[in-house]
Amino acid sequence: MFGRSPLSRSGSFRPENLGQNALAMIGNLCFTLFVVGVLVFTIIAATYEPEDPLFHPSTQISKFLTSTSNATFKSDDTVIRTGEDFMAMNQTEVASFINITDVANLITDNGEIGVAPITCELDSPIDCTDPEVFHLLMRKAIEHFKDTHFYRFGKAVRGDNDSSCDMAWRFRPKEGKTAAFYKDYRRFLIARSENCTLSVMSIGDYHSGVNARKKKKKQPGFEKTPAKDNLSLQVVGETVNDALPVVESEKSFSRGKYLIYTGGGDRCKSMNHYMWSYLCALGEAQYLNRTLVMDLTICLNSMYSSSNQDEEGKDFRFYFDFEHLKEAASVLDQDQFWSDWNKWHEKNGLKLHLVEDIRITPMKLSEVKDSLILRKFGSVEPDNYWYRVCEGETESVVQRPWHLLWKSRRLMDIVSAISSKLDWDYDAVHIERGEKARNKELWPNLDADTSPNALISTLADKIEDGRNVYIATNEPDTSFFDPLKDKYSTHFLDEFKDLWDENSEWYSETTKLNKGAPVEFDGYMRVSVDTEVFLRGKKQIETFNDLTNDCKDGINTCNAAAS
């Protein structure tokens, strides 16, 4: 009795009960772990703020801002894709181009051509307003530019002498992939034969017909299916009017409602970062039905500058189509706004509502009646990024208005000029080398696969001999590709530097925007133009996928990039 173990007094520790006890203990442990797991998950779900998708390689943002392809230019984060990149062409508009038969029918219907004049002075000036001359120029343009569809011809005007006429037209390349129209204006040299027959001796280069450049309202021309101009498609080549908007009067200013963002850590970040945040601000302004007061100065990130330093003082209008923005949305320049505010806010009792917490959502501000909502951001990154306002529950309510943001028409005009110099009939190859070609650990084959001999071999099955080939590359020494000249007519961006040098239209207009100071054709502009010319090639050969089996982001990342 005294030798019996105390444990034996409890029936639960009898040998026949040990299995049941073990199962019960395991069950209790599992239940405890389950409860702890649910608790941890709940805490994470309540406090976790995901990274902004623009800066994380997620499939969702890849599908929106880029293609799901691993193609370099389609997923390169150095150049942002803008609203016009996502537009689809109206097939009815595309199909209604002017044929040579339409001009012939116009002549027959009007009975203006085919009757020889009774008298003719061979030395008399060419009358560019004569319908005969107008029809002659239209026919010649359609016959000469075989890879072009014409949609509108403007009336011809006198050129620089008595035997030349300038004429403008709206067009698209026959195999154009982008949702845009283009405008060109050229100078025609016209001769009169002894029997008074007129003929076109030559057609000038792109944008040579400067006297036909300006759009004259209510001046008749010819288009097959007249349509009302709208803001849905960019027309590259039209005169740009990106003067700053102004408030009409004190009364109009006082009735307005405004939103302004100040401070924050977005300054001098990449262009992608800047626009992701800017479009958040614009989206909130539209949601609140307020005018966005914006700073038109941009700090250019060092990755785009020749000095390799961040550069302040760049103008928004150098990079984006401000004319389209101000016509399609309500925006004001902040310098002009503060000047008006300081003059009138006390007199008219205008109030300011200050917001310093990004957790105050646009939905909470929808009932604010004050004239100005000022969002002030702090100094601690990343919580001071503007785009944080559009995260969380706001993401499903406030939409970024991508359709309002288009690329600069001045830059796009350079793209159009390069494409026109190549008659819109060229193939394009992107060849990425640089640091990636030197890094054999992450890109073991890139250097060899993009060597001249390898390119000649790879391109043989992709591009016909003798073709115009535009090469978009980060290789600084383009003579590296000289062996390709034996098979192709190769072209590079710097071949067209006259389009932005000190004698160019781009240089003149940007200098005026910059208050008389010359504007550098910086790295972002170069990559933007290079990319857009590449995308207009009839064939587009990418570095990754087409020229090498290496992955764009380094070894073993291809599947992640495609997912």
Side-chain angles (χ1 to χ4, degrees), residues 247-258:
V247 180
E248 296 178 355
S249 64
E250 177 182 349
K251 182 178 180 181
S252 178
F253 182 87
S254 300
R255 287 200 307 259
K257 301 294 183 183
Y258 308 96

Side-chain angles (χ1 to χ4, degrees), residues 42-59:
T42 302
I43 294 173
I44 292 176
T47 60
Y48 175 65
E49 294 183 0
E51 293 183 67
D52 194 284
L54 184 65
F55 310 108
H56 191 277
S58 67
T59 304

Side-chain angles (χ1 to χ4, degrees), residues 270-279 295 297-298 316 320:
S270 72
M271 196 67 82
N272 273 342
H273 181 127
Y274 168 76
M275 291 316 301
W276 191 242
S277 284
Y278 170 77
L279 285 172
D295 182 359
T297 65
I298 289 178
F316 180 93
F320 302 101

Side-chain angles (χ1 to χ4, degrees), residues 71-297:
T72 303
F73 262 96
K74 294 180 180 179
S75 56
D76 192 343
D77 61 2
T78 56
V79 178
I80 192 168
R81 294 187 71 187
T82 49
E84 71 273 37
D85 295 324
F86 305 106
M87 291 182 179
M89 279 297 300
N90 183 319
Q91 294 304 311
T92 302
E93 288 184 273
V94 173
S96 61
F97 57 88
I98 301 170
N99 291 298
I100 193 73
T101 54
D102 297 315
V103 179
N105 292 336
L106 179 68
I107 295 170
T108 302
D109 293 342
N110 294 341
E112 295 166 332
I113 300 297
V115 179
I118 298 174
T119 59
C120 172
E121 296 182 14
L122 295 179
D123 296 331
S124 63
I126 300 297
D127 182 5
C128 298
T129 63
D130 188 337
E132 179 181 354
V133 175
F134 181 42
H135 297 145
L136 171 66
L137 301 189
M138 286 194 290
R139 290 199 309 273
K140 189 63 179 180
I142 294 172
E143 291 170 354
H144 183 78
F145 300 105
K146 299 184 184 300
D147 285 317
T148 298
H149 282 162
F150 295 87
Y151 294 87
R152 177 186 299 171
F153 286 102
K155 282 291 188 181
V157 298
R158 187 180 186 276
D160 62 346
N161 57 46
D162 290 342
S163 59
S164 65
C165 296
D166 293 356
M167 185 175 71
W169 55 81
R170 181 175 294 185
F171 73 96
R172 277 176 51 80
K174 282 185 178 179
E175 299 182 23
K177 303 177 182 69
T178 57
F181 287 108
Y182 303 85
K183 181 179 179 179
D184 196 1
Y185 33 91
R186 303 214 183 196
R187 181 153 293 165
F188 293 74
L189 181 63
I190 303 172
R192 181 186 283 115
S193 67
E194 292 183 359
N195 65 355
C196 290
T197 302
L198 300 177
S199 59
V200 175
M201 304 304 294
S202 65
I203 302 177
D205 292 334
Y206 182 78
H207 281 14
S208 56
V210 293
N211 292 343
R213 180 191 182 191
K214 289 188 177 180
K215 183 178 180 181
K216 296 182 179 180
K217 294 181 179 180
K218 298 182 180 179
Q219 181 172 343
F222 175 63
E223 55 185 318
K224 188 171 181 179
T225 306
K228 294 181 180 180
D229 286 336
N230 55 63
L231 298 174
S232 62
L233 291 178
Q234 191 175 51
V235 181
V236 177
E238 292 279 15
T239 303
V240 179
N241 176 20
D242 51 10
L244 299 180
V246 294
V247 180
E248 296 178 355
S249 64
E250 177 182 349
K251 182 178 180 181
S252 178
F253 182 87
S254 300
R255 287 200 307 259
K257 301 294 183 183
Y258 308 96
L259 171 69
I260 187 169
Y261 280 34
T262 63
D266 305 275
R267 200 83 181 161
C268 301
K269 294 294 192 293
S270 72
M271 196 67 82
N272 273 342
H273 181 127
Y274 168 76
M275 291 316 301
W276 191 242
S277 284
Y278 170 77
L279 285 172
C280 173
L282 186 58
E284 181 179 24
Q286 292 205 310
Y287 172 79
L288 296 174
N289 196 26
R290 288 176 174 265
T291 296
L292 179 67
V293 179
M294 58 181 289
D295 182 359
L296 280 172
T297 65

Side-chain angles (χ1 to χ4, degrees), residues 523-543:
Y524 185 83
M525 298 172 184
R526 292 180 62 87
V527 176
S528 182
V529 170
D530 218 18
T531 302
E532 293 300 321
V533 176
F534 168 83
L535 292 173
R536 281 155 182 76
K538 288 188 173 179
K539 291 183 179 178
Q540 298 162 15
I541 310 300
E542 303 276 4
T543 299

